[in-house]
Amino acid sequence: MLRLHLLSSPATAQKPNQNPSQFLSSQLLSRARVFSTNTFGFAPSPILSRKRLSLKCRQSEYFDQQRTSTAASPNKPSPSPPTPAGATGMAPRFYVGHSIYKGKAALTVEPKAPEFTPLDSGAFKLSREGFVLLQFAPAAGVRVYDWSRKQVFSLSVTEIGSLVSLGSKESLEFFHDPFKGKSDEGKVRKVLKVEPLPDGSGHFFNLSVQNKLINLDESIYIPITRAEFAVLKSAFNFILPYILGWHAYANSIKPEDSSRANNSGLKYGGDFEWSR
């Protein structure tokens, strides 16, 4: 008690009604304030401004330097993300086909797209319907086929419809002259016959080609089972609207275009039967 009194300023007189313990507490509080405000730095003063601590991230400085260097050299090409396959500005093209291999011949079926002609208005008009190309190749050995001797036959839209509607016991025959209406008309004859197998398990596809220009007379036939013929029919049914070019028209239809035509009262393509 005496030591604290020596370090302190002159003692404050004790109030008459204050007990010794209260007096001691007040004296200790007063000494504590002295220690907090002394010049020897035992404890920082609460009234002094506290020094703010800051934490620097070296990684942020690195990215700041990278941004600064990039801005200083604008002519430097920046790395571009990899371009996905097929994203070259043009729609990718796909080539498909279906092949049937038998002991004496092979048959490959490939769809061919229609052709469109651009108009002055910017639209396109169908100029040629698509078709399905049949390629017959004779066998040159066991599971070996001579495609250099192949013969081709193009099925039109109507001929595809005839094949699709062919019954299990029905037959049909197509005749083609590639030079019809030209000076060599009649010199090349192609006949495709589709006939039911004797046991009713499928059809025979027989292509006969007579070419007087190169003195060729060849016939290639291949049996097609009922299951294989069902696959061909399904493929023909699916591809038929695309061969007609109707998919391009369907993709070009917009809801606002049809609503605008209905609101304006325009009659596209002549009078509609149901509007008369």
Side-chain angles (χ1 to χ4, degrees), residues 92-122:
R93 297 184 63 87
F94 299 90
Y95 299 94
V96 296
H98 178 65
S99 299
I100 300 175
Y101 301 98
K102 295 299 174 69
K104 293 186 177 182
L107 171 62
T108 297
V109 181
E110 296 180 1
K112 299 299 179 180
E115 297 179 3
F116 296 87
T117 301
L119 303 178
D120 296 337
S121 61

Side-chain angles (χ1 to χ4, degrees), residues 38-252:
N38 61 49
T39 59
F40 295 98
F42 291 107
S45 174
I47 62 175
L48 297 178
S49 60
R50 296 181 181 179
K51 185 178 180 180
R52 296 183 178 180
L53 299 179
S54 61
L55 178 63
K56 286 188 175 182
C57 180
R58 305 295 298 176
Q59 186 176 6
S60 62
E61 293 180 358
Y62 171 77
F63 286 111
D64 291 340
Q65 294 176 0
Q66 293 295 321
R67 285 193 292 266
T68 304
S69 61
T70 304
S73 56
N75 295 330
K76 183 179 180 181
S78 59
S80 57
T83 303
T88 57
M90 296 181 62
R93 297 184 63 87
F94 299 90
Y95 299 94
V96 296
H98 178 65
S99 299
I100 300 175
Y101 301 98
K102 295 299 174 69
K104 293 186 177 182
L107 171 62
T108 297
V109 181
E110 296 180 1
K112 299 299 179 180
E115 297 179 3
F116 296 87
T117 301
L119 303 178
D120 296 337
S121 61
F124 293 87
K125 182 180 180 181
L126 181 69
S127 58
R128 181 182 180 184
E129 293 180 345
F131 57 93
V132 171
L133 182 65
L134 305 181
Q135 301 183 64
F136 295 80
V142 180
R143 297 184 180 180
V144 179
Y145 304 92
D146 189 358
W147 292 99
S148 63
R149 295 172 51 197
K150 70 177 180 180
Q151 299 294 333
V152 299
F153 194 91
S154 300
L155 291 176
S156 65
V157 172
T158 305
E159 291 169 341
I160 293 174
S162 299
L163 270 176
V164 169
S165 59
L166 186 66
S168 59
K169 297 181 180 181
E170 297 178 341
S171 62
L172 55 80
E173 180 176 330
F174 301 133
F175 169 75
H176 284 185
D177 185 351
F179 298 102
K180 185 176 182 180
K182 300 179 181 179
S183 58
D184 291 331
E185 181 178 354
K187 295 182 179 180
V188 178
R189 292 172 51 90
K190 294 183 178 183
V191 179
L192 175 63
K193 294 182 179 181
V194 180
E195 300 174 334
L197 293 173
D199 57 358
S201 60
H203 285 80
F204 262 124
F205 278 59
N206 185 8
L207 176 61
S208 300
V209 179
Q210 295 179 353
N211 191 337
K212 297 180 181 179
L213 299 176
I214 58 176
N215 195 20
L216 173 68
D217 190 354
E218 189 170 11
S219 179
I220 304 175
Y221 68 92
I222 178 174
I224 304 297
T225 65
R226 184 184 296 107
E228 293 168 340
F229 195 46
V231 172
L232 293 179
K233 286 184 176 182
S234 179
F236 291 160
N237 280 319
F238 174 81
I239 202 64
L240 193 57
Y242 295 87
I243 292 177
L244 288 170
W246 283 32
H247 68 290
Y249 170 75
N251 293 335
S252 67

